[in-house]
Structures are given as C-alpha cells and as structure tokens.
Amino acid sequence: MIRAEIIASGKMRKGPMLDLWNDYSKRIIWPLTLHEIDEPSSQKEAKKQLALLNTQAFIFVLDETGKVIDSREFAEKIQTLTDEGLRDTPF
C-alpha cells in the first residue's frame, strides 16, 4: 500500500482548503500525512522540504505551471508505481 505525504508550503487556515483536506483525508484509503512548512525564508523552507523526502520515493511536484494530467492518467501512474513496489509518494 502506498504511503502518501503532502509537503505543503505554508499553513492551512480555516476555509475551503482546510475543508477539502478534511474531506479527502477521510476518503483516502492509504496512510496520509500532511507536513506544513511555514518559513519566512524560501531557502529554509526548501531545506525543510528536502529533509522530509525519502530518496527512494517517486515525487509528484504540484505546480500551477506544470503539466496538467487528468484523474485517469494520475490514477494509472499511481497504479503503475504500486505495481512496481513503490510505497512512498510525497506530493
């Protein structure tokens, strides 16, 4: 089973994002962890993010300027990774 980790810049405040997290974290069948990194310095934040990464993990970087994939393609990628024995998946 995959262990999913969200490594987020900043803290979630009350509102739509927190509501989504609360909803989806209950639905996900995998172990799911949220790491919130709230550092004034982007360099310190990056160091903390890197320290949380498992070097054996497949890392999904979510960025508004990145490649857009649909839910089916995303699910297929996760299934392939699982079939190949991958367990740690940080986002």
Side-chain angles (χ1 to χ4, degrees):
M1 177 178 290
I2 281 185
R3 289 184 301 262
E5 293 185 75
I6 308 279
I7 302 172
S9 295
K11 299 271 185 190
M12 266 197 271
R13 312 282 189 249
K14 287 185 179 180
M17 292 300 280
L18 183 59
D19 293 342
L20 284 170
W21 168 260
N22 290 333
D23 182 40
Y24 280 102
S25 64
K26 291 174 190 166
R27 292 197 220 173
I28 301 275
I29 60 171
W30 317 315
L32 180 62
T33 305
L34 173 64
H35 303 280
E36 297 173 302
I37 301 173
D38 195 15
E39 281 288 340
S41 161
S42 59
Q43 190 172 34
K44 285 182 183 178
E45 184 176 75
K47 284 182 181 180
K48 285 186 175 184
Q49 289 171 336
L50 290 172
L52 290 168
L53 296 176
N54 176 339
T55 58
Q56 301 299 313
F58 186 92
I59 301 165
F60 288 94
V61 178
L62 307 178
D63 184 345
E64 62 189 14
T65 62
K67 178 183 175 188
V68 176
I69 62 173
D70 61 28
S71 295
R72 186 174 305 273
E73 187 178 350
F74 185 64
E76 288 170 358
K77 182 64 178 176
I78 290 175
Q79 184 62 56
T80 300
L81 294 169
T82 302
D83 292 347
E84 293 172 354
L86 186 74
R87 297 293 172 251
D88 294 320
T89 308
F91 294 84

